[in-house]
Amino acid sequence: TSPSSIELSGRTYKTDEWFNVPSNVANATSRKLHLQKDHPIAITRQIIESKFPEATYKTYNTFDPVVSTFENFDSLGFPEDHPGRAKSDTYYINKETLLRTHTSAHELEIFKANASDGYLISADVYRRDEVDRTHYPVFHQMEGARVWDRTKVPNGDIAAAVWADLDKLPKHDIQVEDPNPPFHPERNPLQSEHHSPAEAEAIAAHLKRSLELVVVEIFSRAKAAAVKADPNFVDEPLKVRWVEAYFPFTSPSWELEVYYNGDWLECLGCGVSKQNILINAGVGSQAGWAFGLGLDRIAMLLFQIPDIRLFWSQDERFLSQFAGVSGDLGRLKRFVPFSKYPACYKDVSFWLRTSSAAGGNTRGANVHDFHENDVMEVVRSVAGDVVEDVRLVDEFTHPRTGRRSMCYRINYRSLERTLTNDETNGLHDEITKALVERLGVEIR
Ligand code: PHE
């Protein structure tokens, strides 16, 4: 049973049958880690902001996390049936109101305000997701955009104006792979009604250089921190690559990946802004780019923070390690893990609830209204941050009845203390009970 209204950042919202925000997530809306002095998320934000000149890029860091479905989805051209809109992926307050899933929810309103040639928005964002050391239902994004106005550039020549601005950006010497053609007819078309190929290519080049400079900055600071921790530290030369991507609100679109520790890490999404958004914002004479990046993952890499839950810790052994860094980025050091407390895992196996489809022609074909994120949410809402990860270890469909069963392994470990046996047993029992009550499963 859900409350009929909820108060979030001082405002009261009516809830309805769409409401699915657990209290641990609702409480996180007041934390604002990206604004907390000397917090690694805030430090990471500051470092990235420093690569975008204030005279061009206006920063917005205090937008409210509660937005409308129009702002989060419709205004950006998300189709009606986009999976991101599902209750299994997104926290809804009511049918029309949700916790933003990305900072892009504010694009239209900022383009409308037309207050600057560029902007940066940093904010907390919310997504229902799995439980492990790199996922948390609340994380932080920075969105950036840059536009040029046809009516204001010399001779109305956007391409020339963009190349001139690109010329003023610093250069770097890292290796960049960019193997794909600039446009792909279906996946990544030129917005040919609005841009010439030359304009879109210039905008893309400015976008790519601007973001490569961010990566260079982050990784040179990460390297300096590594050398401080170990003077003999040697790393491989930095390598980045641009990979084609898809977003409903940019075309063409890319993701930027960085080669790090033997893996390609996805750092951000970006592209040439869809002209419809600018037209709807009343600034159709402008054209430009936008990007969105995840601050938490970058902060983990920068400080070598091994578990995303640490960001939410109020433990001085965590927070004190970053003291003074907001005011002097040169003091940035790697995080030194405090002792790792023992882990303890427990399995839970259950049959999914079935609602056999109507009609006689579906023998054996049971319909399971099950989403894994619901299990994750039950675990988080009962045990909070003492669960390190939840993994599916077995899945089985009965050959005759068609019933499906799942076995999840829950790994209990506090970052701050040793859990007692009684405590883990108690939590596991409570989780088991909650799975039955809330998801209608049958324990095996
Ligand atoms: N909002 C996108 C995401 O969360 C990232 C993005 C922002 C992509 C701006 C393109 C332009 O994945």
Side-chain angles (χ1 to χ4, degrees), residues 76 103-112 119 121 143-145 249-250 273 277 281 290-291:
L76 296 160
T103 40
S104 305
H106 303 289
E107 277 198 9
L108 182 67
E109 108 194 64
I110 305 184
F111 283 136
K112 241 185 215 161
Y119 61 77
I121 316 163
E143 178 109 355
F249 39 97
T250 50
S273 292
I277 299 170
F291 73 83

Side-chain angles (χ1 to χ4, degrees), residues 127-252:
R127 289 186 200 172
R128 297 181 93 223
D129 217 327
E130 52 202 285
V131 175
D132 66 30
R133 276 179 291 166
T134 59
H135 289 88
Y136 202 81
V138 191
F139 59 104
H140 301 81
Q141 284 190 327
M142 184 189 292
E143 178 109 355
R146 175 79 163 93
V147 291
W148 290 264
D149 194 318
R150 270 176 220 294
T151 63
K152 293 189 186 140
V153 298
N155 310 317
D157 187 346
I158 286 202
V162 176
W163 286 117
D165 281 334
L166 175 56
D167 245 3
K168 289 179 237 155
L169 292 180
K171 300 193 171 40
H172 62 70
D173 55 9
I174 61 167
Q175 193 188 322
V176 179
E177 292 174 27
D178 195 357
N180 298 304
F183 311 110
H184 182 285
E186 302 106 54
R187 289 198 301 269
N188 256 318
L190 168 73
Q191 301 176 59
S192 53
E193 290 158 60
H194 304 293
H195 308 148
S196 68
E199 284 169 348
E201 281 178 49
I203 291 169
H206 190 278
L207 165 66
K208 288 175 177 174
R209 173 82 65 77
S210 302
L211 292 169
E212 287 158 11
L213 291 168
V214 168
V215 169
V216 169
E217 179 75 18
I218 291 288
F219 282 82
S220 74
R221 292 198 180 265
K223 182 172 182 183
V227 170
K228 254 188 228 175
D230 170 10
N232 297 317
F233 177 84
V234 268
D235 61 351
E236 291 176 71
L238 189 55
K239 257 195 308 193
V240 302
R241 72 178 181 196
W242 290 100
V243 181
E244 249 189 76
Y246 171 81
F247 301 102
F249 39 97
T250 50
S251 187

